[in-house]
């Protein structure tokens, strides 16, 4: 067991809370503190906007990634470390962050929105940037729900160590799946990747996986069912080429088949596509003026750390323009009255 | 053996300034086959350097059986968290709280020192109704970013009701215990060795499961 200490608490914790944001109107309230949310907060704060971040978990999904090798400036960095850099950067600007807070919904006035939290508090803000990210998609096959936590897992970095010297199956064919295979191959005795179509992971990762001698790959092989009585015992699959069914044995199934946007609380308020991703315009504004969105939560095929960070910057700049615009509008109105 | 880096120590110094009262830690180790015993001892020694508010008592599981049975210690390494009056609130860390788990450990020190926030009134009311023993086991791995949240909640519940005890169990170190409870995803929460759920669920879910013990349906 190699030891490290991934401290992510900050000083001032548990000091008497000073929460002026409950009274003051914010310029920008960012919901979410992954790469999109923190990048948005950094840009907004640097524009001089009164910025608040509300998050369940600072760092977001980056924290679930063992190594990130495609974020410019870092040829290889652990997810934990990159999240820390983002957090420290935002922290150095003095951006207030409300952690472990969940948003219940947004209601929109024309110039001021209200963000309601599940703890009952309400935040008023001229603009809102939604960067709530996404969560693991489920396979949706029989056995998956029943065996969740009994061999069916969604976080290789968390649950991998529990499968030492066992056989594990990874479902999926993208970067996340192949990375999981590479990580698990160091712990498990054997790793079997099973994917319904062809691999779409980066070539560099596929090559690395192919060099491992305890990895087996089954493509064009959809999983029909996860088998097991009390614990996972394997998966029932169909081989597309022959139409034949067979069973692949394993002690665990890691599901890495992509992500589902975290948009549930915005249903009925914001327009979404058929994948429940938020629909945005080219300024990343949602169907409600003044409400912007960035990162994995918005429509679009590519979910990457660097894309989320870029989106966050764009949304913050758009929010800044929006605020300037409504403020100059208000001034004109006042001028007319006078 | 120095375990904490200077960088981490500096951070800890700042965070632990918020500690209100002293906290006593009873560390149980044993000679011989004890993975991470040495590291855990080193970690707590480093922690004593960082703050005078943490006082560590070093015990041997075999030699100090009286203390071990008083706090129901069966595993090593195990850290029992006691308040400034050396009172036990049912809070333990079994296995080294390293990796992500240092966060729940430090948070717990702050809580037990009296620097924590109160539970939401509604939650406290539900918890006050619990009058029979409830034991919460939270299985974790050190690479799991969701785990500290679950440990913090469980420990907070223990601190807020004398009938509730809560222990973190590092699943890799205590392989046999985690096998016994079929741990294949973390955090896995087991209540009175009977009711269980997976994930860093909201406080309400913890309370619902506890209420199942309290008022079996």
């Amino acid at each position: 067991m190699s030891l490290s200490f991934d401290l992510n608490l900050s000083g001032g914790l548990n000091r008497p809370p000073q929460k002026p944001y409950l009274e003051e109107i914010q310029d920008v309230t960012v919901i979410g503190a992954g790469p999109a949310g923190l990048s948005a907060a950094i840009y907004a704060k640097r524009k001089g906007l009164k910025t608040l971040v509300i998050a369940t978990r600072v760092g977001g999904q980056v924290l679930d990634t063992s190594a990130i090798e495609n974020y410019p400036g870092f040829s290889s960095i652990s997810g934990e470390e990159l999240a820390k850099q983002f957090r420290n950067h935002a922290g150095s600007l003095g951006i207030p962050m409300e952690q472990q807070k969940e948003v219940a919904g947004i209601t929109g006035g024309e110039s001021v929105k209200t963000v309601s939290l599940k703890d009952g508090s309400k935040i008023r803000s001229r603009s809102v940037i939604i960067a709530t990210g996404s969560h693991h998609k489920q396979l949706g096959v029989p056995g998956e729900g029943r065996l969740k936590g009994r061999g069916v897992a969604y976080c290789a970095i968390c649950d991998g160590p529990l499968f030492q010297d066992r056989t594990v199956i990874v479902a999926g064919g993208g970067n996340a799946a192949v990375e999981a295979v590479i990580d698990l191959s160091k712990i498990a005795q054997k790793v079997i990747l099973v994917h319904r179509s062809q691999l779409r992971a980066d070539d560099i990762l596929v090559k690395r996986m192919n060099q491992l001698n305890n990895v087996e790959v089954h493509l064009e092989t959809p999983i029909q069912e996860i088998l097991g009585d009390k614990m996972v015992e394997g998966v029932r699959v169909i081989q597309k080429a022959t139409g034949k069914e067979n069973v692949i044995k394993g002690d665990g199934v890691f599901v890495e088949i992509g992500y589902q946007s975290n948009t549930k609380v915005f249903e009925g308020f914001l327009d979404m596509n058929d994948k429940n991703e938020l629909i945005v315009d080219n300024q990343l504004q949602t169907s409600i003026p003044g409400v912007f969105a960035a990162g994995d939560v918005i429509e679009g095929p590519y979910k990457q750390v660097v894309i989320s960070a870029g989106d966050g910057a764009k949304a913050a700049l758009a929010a800044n323009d929006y605020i300037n615009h409504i403020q100059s509008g208000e001034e004109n109105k006042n001028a007319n009255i006078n | 053996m120095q375990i904490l880096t200077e960088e981490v120590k500096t951070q800890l110094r700042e965070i632990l300034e918020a500690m209100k009262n002293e906290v006593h830690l009873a560390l149980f180790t044993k000679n011989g086959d004890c993975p991470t015993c040495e590291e855990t001892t080193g970690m707590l020694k480093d922690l004593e350097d960082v703050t005078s508010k943490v006082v560590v008592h070093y015990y041997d599981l075999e030699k100090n059986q009286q203390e071990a049975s008083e706090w129901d210690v069966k595993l090593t390494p195990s850290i029992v968290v006691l308040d400034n009056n050396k009172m036990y609130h049912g809070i333990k860390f079994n296995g080294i709280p390293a990796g992500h788990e240092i966060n729940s450990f430090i948070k717990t020190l702050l809580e037990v020192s009296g620097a924590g926030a109160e539970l939401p009134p509604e939650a406290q009311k539900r918890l006050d109704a619990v009058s029979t023993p409830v034991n919460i086991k939270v299985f974790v791995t050190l690479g799991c970013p969701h785990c500290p949240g679950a440990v913090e909640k469980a420990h907070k519940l223990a601190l807020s009701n004398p009938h509730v005890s809560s222990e973190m169990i590092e699943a890799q170190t205590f392989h046999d215990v985690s096998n016994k409870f079929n741990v294949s995803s973390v955090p896995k929460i087991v209540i009175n060795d009977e009711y269980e759920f997976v994930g860093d669920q909201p406080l309400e879910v913890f309370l619902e499961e506890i209420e199942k013990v309290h008022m079996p349906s």
Side-chain angles (χ1 to χ4, degrees), chain A residues 62 67-86 89 305-306:
Chain A
V62 173
I68 291 160
E69 301 183 334
N70 50 15
Y71 194 85
F74 300 97
S75 57
S76 180
I77 184 166
S78 71
E80 178 62 37
E81 183 58 30
L82 186 61
K84 190 165 135 191
Q85 303 267 2
F86 287 156
H89 190 170
V305 180
V306 66

Side-chain angles (χ1 to χ4, degrees), chain A:
Chain A
M1 195 187 291
S2 69
L3 289 180
S4 67
F5 292 88
D6 303 313
L7 196 60
N8 59 19
L9 302 168
S10 53
L13 191 92
N14 293 29
R15 285 194 194 135
Q18 293 182 332
K19 297 181 173 175
Y21 58 80
L22 292 176
E23 286 95 49
E24 292 170 13
I25 297 175
Q26 300 295 309
D27 290 322
V28 181
T29 298
V30 180
I31 308 173
L38 291 178
S39 167
I42 290 165
Y43 268 79
K45 183 74 183 178
R46 285 171 53 87
K47 280 284 172 198
L49 301 175
K50 195 177 285 173
T51 306
L52 171 70
V53 176
I54 300 163
T56 48
R57 173 162 94 110
V58 177
Q61 279 179 57
V62 173
L63 288 173
D64 299 342
T65 313
S66 62
I68 291 160
E69 301 183 334
N70 50 15
Y71 194 85
F74 300 97
S75 57
S76 180
I77 184 166
S78 71
E80 178 62 37
E81 183 58 30
L82 186 61
K84 190 165 135 191
Q85 303 267 2
F86 287 156
R87 189 174 62 234
N88 290 349
H89 190 170
S92 71
L93 295 168
I95 300 166
M97 257 181 246
E98 273 295 299
Q99 298 193 39
Q100 288 177 3
K101 295 279 178 191
E102 263 188 87
V103 167
I106 309 175
T107 43
E110 204 167 297
S111 56
V112 178
K113 328 280 171 219
T114 302
V115 179
S116 310
L117 304 188
K118 286 201 175 149
D119 68 7
S121 48
K122 290 189 189 315
I123 291 149
R124 289 176 301 156
S125 188
R126 293 192 171 87
S127 71
V128 177
I129 298 174
I130 298 171
T132 47
S134 57
H135 61 272
H136 276 280
K137 219 187 259 176
Q138 307 204 335
L139 272 171
V141 298
E144 185 179 21
R146 185 172 55 85
L147 294 166
K148 189 179 173 190
R150 298 184 162 272
V152 175
Y154 300 86
C155 176
I157 198 173
C158 305
D159 300 336
L162 304 168
F163 291 88
Q164 199 156 9
D165 303 324
R166 311 247 194 113
T167 298
V168 294
I169 294 160
V170 174
N175 281 348
V178 173
E179 279 166 10
V181 169
I182 295 168
D183 283 348
L184 290 167
S185 73
K186 295 168 198 154
I187 306 161
Q189 189 188 52
K190 187 177 176 188
V191 186
I192 307 168
L193 182 136
V194 181
H195 185 48
R196 62 179 177 179
S197 52
Q198 290 298 312
L199 294 178
R200 56 193 158 73
D202 295 346
D203 192 44
I204 188 167
L205 290 173
V206 175
K207 278 187 181 141
R208 208 178 296 161
M209 174 175 76
N210 288 341
Q211 282 168 359
L212 300 167
N213 53 25
N214 60 342
V215 170
E216 202 177 284
V217 176
H218 297 257
L219 300 177
E220 304 290 343
T221 311
I223 294 175
Q224 302 297 303
E225 184 181 0
I226 299 177
L227 304 168
D229 179 18
K230 282 214 167 96
M231 300 293 284
V232 166
E233 287 161 26
V235 292
R236 186 166 57 80
V237 298
I238 288 190
Q239 281 166 328
K240 273 194 198 163
T242 59
K244 264 213 245 157
E245 272 196 5
N246 63 306
V247 170
I248 300 173
K249 287 195 170 175
D251 307 303
V253 178
F254 284 82
V255 180
E256 297 281 356
I257 53 166
Y259 298 91
Q260 180 78 52
S261 296
N262 296 326
T263 52
K264 208 163 183 0
V265 296
F266 309 117
E267 269 171 21
F269 179 63
L270 299 172
D271 290 351
M272 297 176 200
N273 66 12
D274 56 356
K275 291 179 186 161
N276 286 335
E277 295 166 333
L278 296 178
I279 295 173
V280 289
D281 65 13
N282 61 8
Q283 303 281 301
L284 301 186
Q285 185 161 254
T286 65
S287 51
I288 301 280
V291 178
F292 300 83
D296 281 6
V297 76
I298 64 171
E299 58 181 339
Y302 310 119
K303 314 292 190 192
Q304 297 292 318
V305 180
V306 66
I307 292 174
S308 292
D311 278 353
K314 199 167 163 185
L317 296 173
N320 183 52
D321 284 348
Y322 169 83
I323 289 163
N324 288 341
H325 187 73
I326 53 168
Q327 274 173 351
S328 65
E330 276 165 17
E331 275 159 27
N332 285 342
K333 241 191 257 168
N334 291 341
N336 288 341
I337 292 164
N338 295 337

